Amino acid sequence: LHIAVLASILSLIIYWIIRDRYRVRNLNGKHVFITGCDTGLGNSLAKWLDKRGFCVIAACATEKGSQELQCCSSLSLKTVNLNLADSSSIARAVVFVTEQTAGKGLFGLVSNAEGSAPVGPTDWLRIEDFHLVLDVSLLGLIEITLKLLPLLKKAEGRVVNLINAKGLMAFVGGGYSLSKWGMEAFSDTLRIEMRYFGVKVSIVEHGFFKAEEVKSDIIEKNLFKLWNRLTPEIRDSYGEKYLVE
């Protein structure tokens, strides 16, 4: 029995070593589309994949973000403006990706963009506050994934959804945690369905990085903004002490 257990553990270790050493070969011509590349993780990933020879298509929310990324990347890296809350913008980006891949299909889709929404007690919020984040981080992600699936199926590519693990802890009201849990469910369902077509779907649950900063002053500013627009009845039910603490 002990020998069998040791053999199983050794086999598992060997499997993980072999799997982790696997590298994608022949990177030339393999296109990867990444959202949320203005700053942070998306920006770093676009540069990293570009240096390794992938054909990177980086989606940025601002023209400034596009220009700064192009300045420190190779000529093969292409950028496209993308607003995930706007279906027209998504459609234009899909056309751009289709043209860039030139019939080869899409090797990878990395979804990284996040909507920023005020956080606070749930009854301090309005429905539009939820839309601010859900329209980008969840519905926008779903829409662009659906429209790029034909290209991903053609290349037997992969979908990688980056999910900040702090969003999986529901300790504050708003759409942020809702979007992360929704991304998990969407990814899990898509993984099962796309297996038939040879398309891999992965979730990367990451934490904080050095590139990220918790802007407490912005959070505080948004909280006071929410507080100041509350009805007197809701404000009185919480009291000034609650706000301060």
Side-chain angles (χ1 to χ4, degrees), residues 86-102:
D86 182 1
S87 293
S88 298
S89 179
I90 291 175
R92 288 192 295 270
V94 170
V95 170
F96 183 82
V97 173
T98 303
E99 292 172 348
Q100 291 297 315
T101 54

Side-chain angles (χ1 to χ4, degrees), residues 77 102 126 134 150 174 199 231:
L77 183 143
R126 300 171 181 171
L134 292 174
V199 175
T231 63

